[in-house]
Amino acid sequence: MDCIIEEVKEAVCQVYKKLNNCNLEDASKSTNEKNETNDEVIIIDDEANKIFESIFLKSEYIKAYISEENAEIKYNKKISNKSKYIIACDPIDGSKNIDINITTGSIFSIFKENNNGEIASGRDIVCSGYSLFGICT
């Protein structure tokens, strides 16, 4: 579990650096797409999702990645017997607020498969968290 938390930390730090160094007006522009919850996707949502996805789908512990920004579950192509976890997240929750300096963050839950290789319910969550970003402060 410590390795997965380190991967979450790495993803969150990369997203923070991206937010801290970007032009917030440009990052807030629409990609002209909608996500699975019918929210308009903005550029920074897409970029943050790519960061999370690239880190988690290289992990030997993560079997799959679920994001609000993706229509489908993304599966790790290099799974092993250690790949018993599925991570679900919103890479930047509240992203439409970044250009007005309202706090945003990354929210995630880590599920562990049961002995049948399934996620049966929310009781299979072994860790969850929210990392806050104050962009302009």
Side-chain angles (χ1 to χ4, degrees):
M1 179 57 66
D2 290 343
C3 293
I4 296 172
I5 297 300
E6 284 300 315
E7 291 165 344
V8 170
K9 178 179 148 188
E10 176 62 25
V12 167
C13 287
Q14 284 188 32
V15 168
Y16 173 74
K17 287 176 189 173
K18 172 77 79 180
L19 287 169
N20 201 37
N21 294 313
C22 73
N23 177 312
L24 296 178
E25 188 174 322
D26 290 341
S28 300
K29 291 182 180 172
S30 175
T31 61
N32 297 317
E33 296 177 16
K34 299 262 186 187
N35 65 21
E36 286 304 296
T37 59
N38 207 32
D39 290 331
E40 183 178 17
V41 177
I42 61 173
I43 291 170
I44 199 65
D45 284 325
D46 190 50
E47 291 179 6
N49 188 53
K50 287 176 183 173
I51 290 169
F52 273 73
E53 189 173 306
S54 70
I55 290 172
F56 297 144
L57 294 183
K58 288 189 285 187
S59 171
E60 66 181 304
Y61 302 99
I62 303 293
K63 183 175 185 177
Y65 170 64
I66 302 168
S67 171
E68 179 183 41
E69 309 308 328
N70 297 333
E72 303 289 328
I73 297 172
K74 303 282 183 157
Y75 290 93
N76 189 342
K77 292 182 170 94
K78 299 178 183 178
I79 61 171
S80 69
N81 62 348
K82 294 180 184 178
S83 306
K84 299 187 183 306
Y85 298 91
I86 296 173
I87 189 161
C89 76
D90 183 352
I92 304 182
D93 186 39
S95 58
K96 292 191 181 42
N97 297 323
I98 64 170
D99 60 342
I100 55 174
N101 196 27
I102 293 177
T103 303
T104 61
S106 296
I107 188 169
F108 67 92
S109 288
I110 301 169
F111 297 81
K112 185 174 183 183
E113 292 182 336
N114 61 25
N115 292 336
N116 298 326
E118 301 171 334
I119 303 296
S121 73
R123 293 178 193 259
D124 294 321
I125 295 173
V126 292
C127 179
S128 62
Y130 193 86
S131 177
L132 296 175
F133 305 120
I135 306 309
C136 298
T137 56

